[in-house]
Amino acid sequence: KKVIMKDAVWKDIHLSLVDEAGEIVKLPLNERIKTGRRLLSVSRENLRRIFILSYAYRMTGKNEFLKRAESEMLKAASFSDWNPSHFLDVGEMTMALAIGYDWLYPQLSVQTKEVIEKAIVEKGLKPSFDERYNWFVNAVHNWSQVCHAGVTYGALAIWEKEPGLSRPILTRARDKISIPMGHYAPDGAYPEGIGYWDYGTSFNAMFLSAIEKAFGTDYGLSELPGFLKTGEYILHAVTPNLKNFAYSDNGGTAFLAPTMFWFYDKTKDASILYNQVQLYKKDGQKRIKKNRLAPAMLIWGASASLANPQIPARLSWKAQGDNPVCFM
């Protein structure tokens, strides 16, 4: 609170999230409505709502945010399942309930805790061992990053209740998430381009952030070749007029990326946030309200000055790897 109130941009981001929490309270509860074979849009919206509501409650103490987050979690817990046949849906929903459960834990009733714990175990963690659904375990791309991160959050949340189930989930994730992380080598470029970089890398950073907080180490994963350089990749892949270099399966419109603030936190290179500040000044308030990982920005990045962004010194960047790139 002290840090963000000293910086006009951070203050605006904080107030935007609290304002959005007020808007979420007015919405009907999120329902289990599939789109084709996916429940992913519902899982993502639950993560957005529960993360922002939990943040707003922790920062303001307003009971309406607590109660609405609790209602969203109980509603999601009542779903028949979280659609394990498309496991990204399970990964994001498990993370959503884990964050709400953890951040609001002292205020939740015993009954509510038990309902959420059971849902995380039965609908999140156990299906990750079912061979009909868990092909993601050895995936080489973003599915691995998202799914392992999601179930790890669930495992950390209920660790004291289910250590026998939680421990192998963490061990598996720690070993297997290194597979897609190998594709940042040697210089930090992401083979799937900037859009999928945002998806896979954001959940990768969430995973590393969580295990480092819980265990005091990320087991050396962030030191894998190229990974800490990949923030530079996104800095240079956004053009001066705030467009993406849109090769591979990606759109041309640049976007705010909360994950960049994790890379700032790890490297203390404030210049990698330069385009993020420009994007926020352009239309960021609207975008940040719709970003399901937005509260993480403040946790990772609040020590950076956004009111006075640092201009990058380097104007070109190149990377070898699976899909070599050069930006000038």
Side-chain angles (χ1 to χ4, degrees), residues 31 68 113 149 207 254 261 326:
E31 301 280 350
R68 180 52 188 257
K113 288 173 188 172
F207 170 80
F261 294 82
C326 180

Side-chain angles (χ1 to χ4, degrees), residues 24-246:
I24 292 170
V25 168
K26 301 173 188 175
L27 298 173
L29 287 173
N30 214 7
E31 301 280 350
R32 189 187 184 281
I33 300 171
K34 288 174 69 177
T35 304
R37 60 185 285 256
R38 294 173 173 82
L39 192 67
L40 189 54
S41 62
V42 177
S43 297
R44 287 175 168 175
E45 177 64 2
N46 266 27
L47 179 52
R48 184 186 80 89
R49 291 185 185 187
I50 294 167
F51 205 176
I52 291 175
L53 287 165
S54 300
Y55 171 84
Y57 174 73
R58 291 288 292 261
M59 294 294 274
T60 70
K62 289 187 178 179
N63 208 47
E64 61 180 323
F65 301 145
L66 165 67
K67 291 302 176 186
R68 180 52 188 257
E70 183 178 12
S71 296
E72 291 285 5
M73 288 192 287
L74 290 173
K75 182 70 175 178
S78 75
F79 291 176
S80 55
D81 60 36
W82 294 341
N83 201 38
S85 62
H86 190 257
F87 210 88
L88 291 175
D89 314 4
V90 178
E92 296 216 25
M93 190 73 85
T94 305
M95 181 178 283
L97 267 69
I99 289 173
Y101 172 88
D102 181 66
W103 280 22
L104 306 174
Y105 189 88
Q107 283 73 38
L108 298 175
S109 70
V110 172
Q111 183 180 7
T112 291
K113 288 173 188 172
E114 289 176 351
V115 170
I116 295 171
E117 290 158 8
K118 184 177 180 183
I120 288 173
V121 169
E122 299 297 331
K123 293 166 184 167
L125 306 188
K126 286 184 178 178
S128 77
F129 292 101
D130 190 323
E131 292 184 357
R132 291 174 296 172
Y133 311 131
N134 73 351
W135 68 269
F136 71 83
V137 167
N138 291 300
V140 300
H141 47 61
N142 63 82
W143 274 67
S144 169
Q145 295 165 299
V146 175
C147 297
H148 283 303
V151 294
T152 294
Y153 269 65
L156 291 174
I158 55 94
W159 189 282
E160 294 88 351
K161 303 284 172 62
E162 297 277 355
L165 179 62
S166 298
R167 194 177 302 276
I169 286 172
L170 177 80
T171 302
R172 178 183 67 184
R174 189 184 66 202
D175 294 341
K176 299 297 187 179
I177 206 168
S178 65
I179 298 172
M181 290 183 75
H183 294 276
Y184 295 88
D187 304 309
Y190 191 73
E192 295 184 88
I194 191 169
Y196 277 106
W197 177 96
D198 186 53
Y199 193 28
T201 311
S202 64
F203 279 81
N204 210 136
M206 290 288 283
F207 170 80
L208 295 173
S209 187
I211 64 169
E212 191 169 34
K213 295 266 176 66
F215 302 109
T217 178
D218 66 11
Y219 301 98
L221 287 167
S222 65
E223 303 300 323
L224 288 173
F227 191 70
L228 288 180
K229 296 181 182 179
T230 198
E232 299 172 24
Y233 165 65
I234 297 302
L235 170 67
H236 289 278
V238 175
T239 70
N241 65 347
L242 302 180
K243 300 290 184 183
N244 287 335
F245 178 48

